Amino acid sequence: DVKVTQSSRYLVKRTGEKVFLECVQDMDHENMFWYRQDPGLGLRLIYFSYDVKMKEKGDIPEGYSVSREKKERFSLILESASTNQTSMYLCATGLPVAFFGQGTRLTVV
Amino acid sequence: RKEVEQDPGPFNVPEGATVAFNCTYSNSASQSFFWYRQDCRKEPKLLMSVYSSGNEDGRFTAQLNRASQYISLLIRDSKLSDSATYLCVVRGRSNDYKLSFGAGTTVTVRA
């Protein structure tokens, strides 16, 4: 079974903090993705990576950056957290079928 | 217009009933279609792919209508464990990295 592990299930951060969300996959997949999920809006793609050190913007990259130094690890960085970044963040790997991590529910206060 | 649209529901059905719902997509060049299931506070998981000729997986039947640009999911003999949100997922070309997700249709099966 594919295993996608996100570093935290729940996080509470203060406005202006720099926040790191980590994701590790064990299936040697080239493609990795970060989504956020908000009620009524579905999953929206923030960034994706198709290879080590390669990254592409998704639909809503503003306020976020990513890092992929190793194939198995894809990090999402909130440069300066804001309350409108309170959301569920989901990491995924694989195409055409996506396998998701368990999600990180981030609250910015 | 959203790329993928779903009726949010909820669809409240008794055990044993049949429930069906659709999803429409805007990109006529879309190539791949999927249904994912998401339980409350859990991650989405693949339920089934949707093939051009339609396909079944046990009590679940998926259909694709390219002319009208929608896919459907039908659940027969509903179980309590079928209660979940069902996400419609569409991929453009075969080399497209992006998956487009619907916001989900919530199904609640009651005893």
Side-chain angles (χ1 to χ4, degrees):
Chain A
D1 275 356
V2 175
K3 191 164 185 182
V4 184
T5 304
Q6 294 183 226
S7 51
S8 305
R9 287 297 303 273
Y10 300 95
L11 275 179
V12 179
K13 296 293 182 180
R14 295 194 179 278
T15 302
E17 277 193 79
K18 192 168 187 177
V19 181
F20 294 86
L21 303 182
E22 306 283 345
C23 175
V24 177
Q25 53 108 350
D26 67 354
M27 283 301 292
D28 203 34
H29 285 169
E30 293 176 345
N31 301 303
M32 296 188 75
F33 307 84
W34 275 106
Y35 295 89
R36 63 178 282 177
Q37 186 176 28
D38 300 288
L41 297 178
L43 276 77
R44 293 179 290 167
L45 182 63
I46 304 171
Y47 268 97
F48 67 94
S49 169
Y50 52 89
D51 203 350
V52 174
K53 297 191 184 294
M54 306 303 290
K55 59 187 179 184
E56 293 283 343
K57 293 180 180 179
D59 297 320
I60 52 165
E62 297 79 18
Y64 304 94
S65 62
V66 290
S67 172
R68 191 151 180 218
E69 296 296 318
K70 293 184 178 181
K71 192 172 187 179
E72 67 271 18
R73 188 180 296 271
F74 191 35
S75 303
L76 179 69
I77 303 151
L78 286 66
E79 298 291 342
S80 177
S82 63
T83 54
N84 63 11
Q85 292 179 309
T86 291
S87 187
M88 168 71 92
Y89 289 87
L90 288 158
C91 173
T93 181
L95 269 180
V97 175
F99 297 90
F100 287 88
Q102 76 275 31
T104 297
R105 189 166 292 278
L106 173 67
T107 302
V108 182
V109 297
Chain B
R1 183 184 171 187
K2 289 183 181 177
E3 294 180 53
V4 180
E5 297 205 59
Q6 296 183 247
D7 181 346
F11 287 75
N12 294 307
V13 299
E15 264 187 303
T18 295
V19 59
F21 41 90
N22 295 338
C23 154
T24 58
Y25 60 94
S26 60
N27 182 359
S28 59
S30 296
Q31 296 286 329
S32 305
F33 308 89
F34 309 90
W35 283 106
Y36 278 67
R37 173 197 168 117
Q38 186 172 24
D39 295 312
C40 188
R41 298 189 178 276
K42 299 277 191 175
E43 73 274 22
K45 292 183 180 179
L46 178 69
L47 177 67
M48 60 195 299
S49 301
V50 185
Y51 302 119
S52 297
S53 55
N55 48 297
E56 282 189 15
D57 184 358
R59 298 180 292 106
F60 297 83
T61 301
Q63 297 277 357
L64 168 63
N65 185 316
R66 286 192 184 273
S68 300
Q69 293 182 211
Y70 73 86
I71 67 173
S72 63
L73 182 67
L74 181 145
I75 308 173
R76 286 187 303 277
D77 189 23
S78 299
K79 311 291 184 191
L80 295 176
S81 58
D82 294 333
S83 297
T85 297
Y86 293 86
L87 306 179
C88 173
V89 182
V90 176
R91 186 185 185 192
R93 298 180 304 278
S94 60
N95 61 351
D96 199 343
Y97 288 104
K98 184 179 175 183
L99 298 175
S100 297
F101 288 79
T105 297
T106 298
V107 172
T108 302
V109 182
R110 62 183 188 274

